Amino acid sequence: MADDALVLGLDVGGTTIKGEITDAAGRVLAVGTVATPQGEAAFEAMGALGDQLLSELTAELRSRVGRAAVVLPGIVDTVRSIAVFSSNVGWRDVKVGDRFSDRWGIPVLIEHDVAVAGWAEWRVGAGRGYDNVCVVILGTGISGTLSVGGRLLRSSYGQVGEYGHIPVRADGLPCLCGNTGCVETIASGASIARAYTRRSGREISGAAEVFALVDTDPDATAVLADAVDALADGLIGIVHAACPELVILGGGLAGAGAALTEPLHRAIADRLRLVPAPQVVLGEFGARAGLAGAALFARQGALE
Amino acid sequence: MADDALVLGLDVGGTTIKGEITDAAGRVLAVGTVATPQGEAAFEAMGALGDQLLSELTAELRSRVGRAAVVLPGIVDTVRSIAVFSSNVGWRDVKVGDRFSDRWGIPVLIEHDVAVAGWAEWRVGAGRGYDNVCVVILGTGISGTLSVGGRLLRSSYGQVGEYGHIPVRADGLPCLCGNTGCVETIASGASIARAYTRRSGREISGAAEVFALVDTDPDATAVLADAVDALADGLIGIVHAACPELVILGGGLAGAGAALTEPLHRAIADRLRLVPAPQVVLGEFGARAGLAGAALFARQGALE
């Protein structure tokens, strides 16, 4: 793609679809957000958002848009271009195929939102320059990426990085996946908020509020300690298997900052003897990691 | 290396050093085993075993030996050619360097015994043709390899595949590594034998005897069930992170056969909802995997 080419990136979440057209320097030339309709209608909303962003450009700029990337949640089959399953958006085996490339007149790549988010944090975010990096995207769900020896792991057998569904509590809570005691049932944003309300009897707006209370409210401290323990228990097998030098906490929940990174580093180090402990740092893109990843993926054309 | 070249492989274990000179078809032209002396003396024993095997060849065959590989237990730094740590042989930061290449007059590669064993099981053993394979070498200790997307994982930060030291029991037994409740404390050969004796009060010769009793002796059944649970708990994070299609149980203990593979497959599948369950099969090389890997590594020159 030419150096002065523009790219369109769409990050489809359970609540909103975010889109941006950016240049090689990351400057945003058009930006928009729409609510995510459930089911098949979400694909029409993606198409319309792309149309709108492209229509906001001058004809000269429009002609320079060289490629788009649409990044999707859930299980994504990039080879067959199918949204296999998303509990949040209600998809099951929806063919994405060429519907956007025909509509926008440019090549359109499809990827998993977390794969591009973790890849972007590794390549151009908090993991720049490291070869062995585990990125954990914390949000509504928990999943991530793993890069070892300078290579991003992708398995042809299924979707990698499903850290949120590692079962860590034999007597745990039921998970949406059908299992019990998954990391997500303790450490996701929704789970942290629920656990705090269950413990304290107080309704709160979300996990961010629990993080804000952590120094002053014993209930918040206890809930966060549980979340950190669950994350450490979930990641400890991966640390032994792959020996990452860096764990990056990305996604919306990573706004908790040192309240999350320092205890998680300690909890992982406490569980290790033989293997060196990874650093634990925050991602640089926060909740924008998916969009940053979509733009980078559209520009480079491959996750490398 | 020429097609008709021969290679010398040495597999250094805690008890014995095994050596073979083989041709491209895997035919063994010289073979020998010596006891492993503790500490630095082990390196003199390796050198002498290599000398002996080379001296058994005719001059014509000797001239065709193109390369050697010496594979070592514990933590091995292949880049700096240092045996970093082995509790079994009593090494700490022993420089291997050029001591064998000068002595034998051929290039000598150094690798980790389990890395080459797992790589050989993947490339030319039970994992032939698969791109996403987790090899678990079961023996005195437990460790292995992971291949994802057709690539063997190697981290520049430390040694990967340390499955045996994943802590899986909060109230577990002490491990040699200094931690408690590691997979090895429950599922290694020595741990299985010890647990059986503790439970039944009967002394036995080793884990193989426990496997042989599994259909008729409730103590053997319970001990094996614990070992399988510990292995499944240890591997479950890796299955979610890397999505292997195949788990290969290699090494000496894998002689247990279906008594081990079938319950382990079930135990892993029971712990999964979102991610497809891997097949669990036995390695093809058994306790010879290290030697097979050393020969293959010497021939190919790299773990690819």
Side-chain angles (χ1 to χ4, degrees):
Chain A
M1 203 159 46
D3 282 352
D4 70 345
L6 309 179
V7 294
L8 166 63
L10 251 60
D11 179 15
V12 182
T15 313
T16 60
I17 304 169
K18 292 175 282 190
E20 280 182 2
I21 296 174
T22 48
D23 67 10
R27 273 185 298 260
V28 178
L29 303 169
V31 58
T33 301
V34 296
T36 309
Q38 284 285 301
E40 172 74 24
F43 290 91
E44 176 50 31
M46 296 172 215
L49 178 58
D51 293 348
Q52 184 205 311
L53 297 179
L54 290 166
S55 75
E56 290 174 11
L57 301 181
T58 64
E60 193 273 325
L61 288 175
R62 173 69 182 85
S63 71
R64 280 165 49 198
V65 180
R67 196 152 50 202
V70 177
V71 305
L72 304 166
I75 307 280
V76 180
D77 181 336
T78 55
V79 175
R80 296 184 301 144
S81 192
I82 287 174
V84 178
F85 176 69
S86 164
S87 57
N88 284 328
V89 197
W91 296 327
R92 201 174 270 279
D93 294 324
V94 177
K95 177 84 182 157
V96 183
D98 302 330
R99 56 175 93 190
F100 301 123
S101 54
D102 292 349
R103 182 166 183 159
W104 300 331
I106 49 176
V108 179
L109 304 173
I110 302 296
E111 253 302 342
H112 181 226
D113 55 359
V114 171
V116 300
W119 172 69
E121 282 289 6
W122 170 44
R123 279 302 197 199
V124 298
R128 258 191 324 274
Y130 289 87
D131 276 343
N132 309 287
V133 176
C134 177
V135 183
V136 184
I137 303 290
L138 299 166
T140 314
I142 296 174
S143 57
T145 59
L146 187 59
S147 303
V148 185
R151 290 163 169 173
L152 182 75
L153 260 63
R154 310 297 303 261
S155 165
S156 49
Y157 188 54
Q159 194 156 294
V160 304
E162 291 293 349
Y163 308 137
H165 294 287
I166 301 171
V168 290
R169 297 289 175 266
D171 55 351
L173 296 168
C175 182
L176 282 174
C177 75
N179 213 341
T180 55
C182 295
V183 170
E184 272 189 22
T185 65
I186 307 161
S188 74
S191 298
I192 287 172
R194 262 197 309 272
Y196 179 80
T197 297
R198 208 163 42 235
R199 214 185 152 89
S200 67
R202 288 191 292 283
E203 292 291 333
I204 49 165
S205 61
E209 207 174 320
V210 182
F211 289 118
L213 291 170
V214 74
D215 288 331
T216 53
D217 178 338
D219 288 326
T221 310
V223 166
L224 188 63
D226 279 351
V228 164
D229 269 346
L231 281 170
D233 286 340
L235 294 176
I236 203 67
I238 294 141
V239 171
H240 282 87
C243 215
E245 60 203 309
L246 192 65
V247 171
I248 299 174
L249 301 181
L253 207 62
L260 205 54
T261 53
E262 286 174 15
L264 182 59
H265 173 76
R266 277 198 305 273
I268 292 174
D270 278 351
R271 287 162 173 77
L272 294 175
R273 293 298 179 281
L274 204 66
V275 171
Q279 300 176 61
V280 180
V281 300
L282 294 180
E284 290 186 1
F285 298 121
R288 287 195 74 261
L291 209 47
L296 187 66
F297 177 48
R299 186 159 295 280
Q300 299 206 359
L303 302 189
E304 278 169 355
Chain B
M1 203 160 46
D3 282 352
D4 70 345
L6 308 179
V7 295
L8 166 62
L10 251 59
D11 179 15
V12 182
T15 313
T16 59
I17 305 168
K18 292 176 283 191
E20 279 182 3
I21 296 174
T22 49
D23 68 10
R27 272 185 300 259
V28 178
L29 302 171
V31 59
T33 300
V34 296
T36 310
Q38 285 286 302
E40 172 74 22
F43 290 91
E44 175 51 32
M46 296 173 214
L49 179 58
D51 292 348
Q52 184 205 314
L53 297 179
L54 290 165
S55 75
E56 291 174 11
L57 301 181
T58 64
E60 192 274 323
L61 289 174
R62 173 68 183 85
S63 71
R64 280 164 51 198
V65 180
R67 196 151 50 201
V70 176
V71 305
L72 305 167
I75 308 282
V76 180
D77 181 335
T78 55
V79 174
R80 295 186 301 146
S81 193
I82 288 174
V84 178
F85 177 70
S86 164
S87 57
N88 284 328
V89 196
W91 296 327
R92 201 174 270 281
D93 294 324
V94 177
K95 178 84 181 154
V96 183
D98 302 330
R99 56 175 92 188
F100 301 124
S101 54
D102 291 349
R103 182 166 184 160
W104 298 332
I106 48 176
V108 179
L109 304 172
I110 301 297
E111 253 302 343
H112 181 223
D113 56 358
V114 170
V116 301
W119 172 69
E121 282 290 5
W122 170 44
R123 279 302 196 200
V124 298
R128 260 189 323 275
Y130 289 86
D131 276 344
N132 309 285
V133 175
C134 176
V135 183
V136 185
I137 303 289
L138 300 166
T140 314
I142 297 174
S143 58
T145 59
L146 187 59
S147 303
V148 186
R151 290 163 170 175
L152 182 76
L153 261 64
R154 309 297 302 262
S155 165
S156 49
Y157 188 54
Q159 194 156 292
V160 304
E162 290 293 347
Y163 308 137
H165 293 287
I166 301 171
V168 291
R169 297 288 175 266
D171 55 350
L173 297 168
C175 182
L176 282 175
C177 76
N179 213 340
T180 55
C182 295
V183 170
E184 271 188 21
T185 65
I186 308 161
S188 74
S191 298
I192 288 172
R194 261 196 308 270
Y196 179 81
T197 296
R198 206 162 44 233
R199 212 184 152 91
S200 68
R202 288 191 293 283
E203 292 292 334
I204 49 166
S205 61
E209 207 173 319
V210 181
F211 289 118
L213 291 170
V214 74
D215 288 329
T216 53
D217 179 338
D219 289 324
T221 311
V223 166
L224 188 62
D226 279 352
V228 163
D229 271 346
L231 280 171
D233 287 339
L235 294 175
I236 203 68
I238 293 141
V239 170
H240 282 88
C243 215
E245 61 204 307
L246 192 63
V247 172
I248 299 175
L249 300 181
L253 208 62
L260 204 55
T261 54
E262 287 173 15
L264 181 59
H265 173 76
R266 279 197 306 274
I268 292 174
D270 278 352
R271 286 162 172 77
L272 295 175
R273 293 297 179 279
L274 203 67
V275 170
Q279 299 176 63
V280 180
V281 300
L282 294 179
E284 290 187 1
F285 297 122
R288 287 196 73 262
L291 210 45
L296 187 66
F297 177 50
R299 187 159 295 282
Q300 300 206 359
L303 302 191
E304 279 170 354

